[in-house]
Amino acid sequence: VELHKELLSSIGVDVERHAKMMGMGLAGYQAGFMSQQNRPKGMAYFDWFMSEIQAERIAEINALKAQKKPAVGTFCIFVPEEIVVGAGGACFGLCGGANPPIADAETELPRNICPLIKSAYGFKLQHTCAYTQSADFIYGETTCEAKKKTWELLGKHHPVHVMNIPHMKRERDLKMWQEEIKEFKEHIEEVTEKKLSLAEMLNGVKLINAKRDAMKRLDTLRGMHPDIMPISGKDALFISQMSFLDDPKRFTGKVNELCDELDERIKNRVSVFPENTPRIMVLGTPIAPPNWKLHTAVEGSGACIINEEGCIGHRYFKDNVDIEGVQSEDELYARLMQRYSKIDCACFTPNTGRTDKIVQMYKDRKADGVIYYTLSFCHTYNVESHLVTEALAKEGIPCLVIESDYSPEDAGQIKTRVEAFLESI
Ligand code: BJ8
C-alpha cells in the first residue's frame, strides 16, 4: 500500500483511513489464515495476492484504464464479465464484507437492510475501497429490493448503470434479459470508444470459462473425497473470494497449479483435517471478504467446510458459456443469457431447481450436515431457507440455520450453536 500511495490518492482514496482498514484486514488474515497448519504450498500465491489486494492489483487495473480499457465494479454474478474481459478490461467485485463502514452508510441508508449493501455503500462514502474508486462505473442489477433502490442513491456518489434482471424465467423474461446483455456490451463500448468484435467477446468467454473450470476442479478436489480434505474450507473460501478480484488468466493458472498439488496430496493421503472430521456444506448468501466469521467458527470447532453453495462459491462457477458454433453477436448474447439464467438466486420465483440441486450436492459430496447461512434482512434467502430446510428434513439431512451480520458480537454465540450442531450429527 505504501508504494502505491500516490496512485490511491489520485483515484480519490482516503489514504489514511484506507491504510487503517487494510492494516486490520491483513492482521485478520495473518491471524486466521497464515496460522493454519499444513497448508498447501500453492497458498503462497494467494497470501501474496492478499498483501497486494489494494495495492499492486489496483495499479494493474489503473494501468489498463490508462490504455482505455474498461474497469467495471459489480455486486452480483449476473454481470457478464466475459464482455469486459473480452474488451481487455477488468471486472471486479467491490468491497462489501466489512463492518466498519456500516455506521457511515447508516447516515443515508436505513439500518434494517442487509449488511452487504450497507458495507459497500459505506466504503463508497468513506472512499476506502480502491476498487470502487477505480471503477469507470458500477454495474448494479434489479435483484433484491434493497439493492435495486440503493443504486438510485449510490448514483449520487459514483456513475452507476443498472441491468434489469427479471424475477421469473419465462420466455418473455429471457428475451428481455438477452437485450440487457446487448446493452451491457454497448456501455462497455462507450468506455473504450470502439466497437467490441465478436472475436474479442469470444476470447473473453474462453478466459472466463477456463477460470470457472479451474474453480470447479478445486471444488471437486476439496469436497468430493470422503475422508481426505487436502485444503481447509477457509483457504478454499478465500480463493473463491479472490476470483472476483484477480486477473483471470493469472488466477486460473495459479488455481490449476494448486489443484495439481491437491491431486498429489490426495494420492499421498495428505489431509489438513484428521480422519472422521465432520464435513459441512454451507448454503445461502454471498460470503464477501473479510467476512470469515462462519468458517472460523466451524473450522475452529473441529469440522471442515467442504463447499459454499452461494455466489462466492459454487453458484458462480457451476456453469460455462457454450460457444460451440456461435457465428453472430446475437447468437452469443443468447448463449450468455442461457448460461446466466441458470443462476438459481433466491431472487427468482419459483426457484425450486436450487433445492433439488442442494440435495444432490449433499449426496454427491457425502457431507455430514448443512449450515444455511443468511445475512440479516436478506428476505429472499431467509424466506427460501424454509423451503430448503423442509426439503432437507424430508431427506433426513441435518441442517442448522444461521442469520448474522458483520458485527463481531455474535461470533461466540455462533460458535456455541455450531458446536451443539456438530455434537448432534
Ligand atoms: S445472484 S445472491 S450476488 S443477487 S444484497 S440478495 S444478501 S439482501 S447478494 Fe446476490 Fe446476485 Fe443473487 Fe448472488 Fe440478500 Fe443482501 Fe440482497 Fe444479496
Side-chain angles (χ1 to χ4, degrees), residues 78-112:
F78 283 121
V79 175
E81 63 184 306
E82 291 84 353
I83 295 179
V84 186
V85 170
C91 189
F92 38 83
L94 300 174
C95 301
N99 198 43
I102 287 184
D104 282 36
E106 286 175 351
T107 61
E108 293 192 17
L109 288 173
R111 295 184 63 134
N112 57 349

Side-chain angles (χ1 to χ4, degrees), residues 60 123 229:
E60 289 176 358
F123 269 110
M229 283 74 82

Side-chain angles (χ1 to χ4, degrees), residues 68-245:
K68 260 191 155 338
K69 307 289 186 195
V72 179
T74 73
F75 288 110
C76 180
I77 62 165
F78 283 121
V79 175
E81 63 184 306
E82 291 84 353
I83 295 179
V84 186
V85 170
C91 189
F92 38 83
L94 300 174
C95 301
N99 198 43
I102 287 184
D104 282 36
E106 286 175 351
T107 61
E108 293 192 17
L109 288 173
R111 295 184 63 134
N112 57 349
I113 62 168
C114 145
L116 199 154
I117 297 169
K118 285 191 290 186
S119 173
Y121 198 85
F123 269 110
K124 180 63 229 187
L125 292 185
Q126 293 185 343
H127 291 212
T128 44
C129 171
Y131 289 90
T132 309
Q133 293 307 120
S134 301
D136 292 308
F137 43 74
I138 293 171
Y139 227 94
E141 15 59 47
T142 54
T143 46
C144 65
E145 296 300 299
K147 276 210 272 189
K148 189 167 69 186
K149 295 306 289 180
T150 297
W151 310 137
E152 294 173 31
L153 292 187
L154 190 60
K156 295 191 299 175
H157 305 288
H158 202 98
V160 174
H161 286 300
V162 181
M163 190 171 198
N164 191 5
I165 300 294
H167 292 158
M168 296 179 86
K169 295 178 182 173
R170 300 159 305 182
E171 220 27 63
R172 57 184 182 275
D173 302 314
L174 299 180
K175 212 171 136 218
M176 182 274 287
W177 197 333
Q178 193 171 318
E179 286 297 307
E180 291 290 313
I181 293 173
K182 187 171 176 206
E183 190 183 289
F184 178 81
K185 179 244 190 185
E186 287 160 5
H187 283 138
I188 299 302
E189 288 175 337
E190 280 166 23
V191 179
T192 58
E193 291 178 3
K194 70 180 194 57
K195 284 239 32 94
L196 181 57
S197 70
L198 176 63
E200 285 171 318
M201 286 193 279
L202 288 172
N203 189 41
V205 171
K206 283 181 199 152
L207 282 167
I208 300 302
N209 276 352
K211 171 162 89 158
R212 297 191 205 278
D213 283 340
M215 300 289 287
K216 280 192 271 260
R217 189 177 166 209
L218 175 60
D219 183 62
T220 305
L221 287 164
R222 163 196 185 187
M224 291 292 223
H225 199 284
D227 55 12
I228 298 171
M229 283 74 82
I231 182 168
S232 71
K234 250 204 250 178
D235 278 339
L237 166 71
F238 183 72
I239 294 170
S240 272
Q241 293 173 331
M242 296 308 106
S243 70
F244 295 94
L245 301 176

Side-chain angles (χ1 to χ4, degrees), residues 4-60:
H4 299 291
K5 254 187 183 164
E6 217 170 289
L7 167 67
L8 293 177
S9 145
S10 74
I11 57 173
V13 170
D14 178 337
V15 178
E16 224 168 277
R17 227 172 164 183
H18 177 261
K20 231 185 246 166
M21 288 277 254
M22 274 317 293
M24 284 190 320
L26 287 171
Y29 185 81
Q30 261 163 4
F33 287 75
M34 296 177 72
S35 60
Q36 295 174 100
Q37 298 299 307
N38 198 12
R39 294 172 87 208
K41 287 193 184 65
M43 281 311 294
Y45 169 74
F46 301 97
D47 293 343
W48 169 81
F49 190 80
M50 176 63 188
S51 69
E52 295 297 335
I53 194 168
Q54 296 262 342
E56 189 54 33
R57 181 61 186 142
I58 296 300
E60 289 176 358

